[in-house]
Amino acid sequence: GINAEYMGEDVLIEYYKELREEKERQAEQESLTKKTKDREQMIEANEYQKRIRAARAEADRKEEEEYRRVLMDKFAEDDRIEQMNAVKRNQRRAEHSREVQRLIEEKRLMREAERQRELEELRLQKEQEKRKADIIEAERQRLLEEHAVVLSQYLPKGVLRKDEIERLGIDPTLTSTHVSVPSFVRSHAPR
């Protein structure tokens, strides 16, 4: 009975050993399966990340392309506006130049008109002075004609001109240097 008992124990030990080995194999298999599954998941996750990065890069590239297109369009529009502005600036400069020329010409004409007005004023003034002098001279001659002989005795030398003395036939020796001259004669005497 001891041998059978001993043998039964061996079988039991062998059985437990096999059971443990089976468990270890199973655990190893599970571990291997898990590792494989983990590796596959990691590869899949990497692929997924690559796809996301690629999609993001493509989106960024498209966005950059659109941004570039918008900027180029804007710059082209700015250039067109700038060109238009340059044309307008040149037109405005030409308009200003014409306006300045017109104002200069207008001022020149105004100065010329002012000069003409001053000359006309001067001419009229001289004309008026000459008329006045002619009237005075005519009145002087009339007075001399009417009163020459009487006046000649009271007039100082130099009041009557030589041509008047001759014309009126007055004796030059009759003109006095000592007699007071009536005021109306002095005021009308030529100076």
Side-chain angles (χ1 to χ4, degrees), residues 60-74:
D60 288 350
R61 188 189 63 74
K62 281 183 178 176
E63 188 180 320
E64 192 177 290
E65 208 173 87
E66 178 62 15
Y67 185 62
R68 178 180 281 114
R69 187 192 63 73
V70 166
L71 281 178
M72 291 304 284
D73 288 351
K74 184 194 177 311

Side-chain angles (χ1 to χ4, degrees), residues 129-140:
E129 285 172 8
K130 187 184 179 319
R131 265 198 312 275
K132 200 191 262 183
D134 287 350
I135 290 169
I136 290 170
E137 183 58 27
E139 190 57 24
R140 183 174 185 272

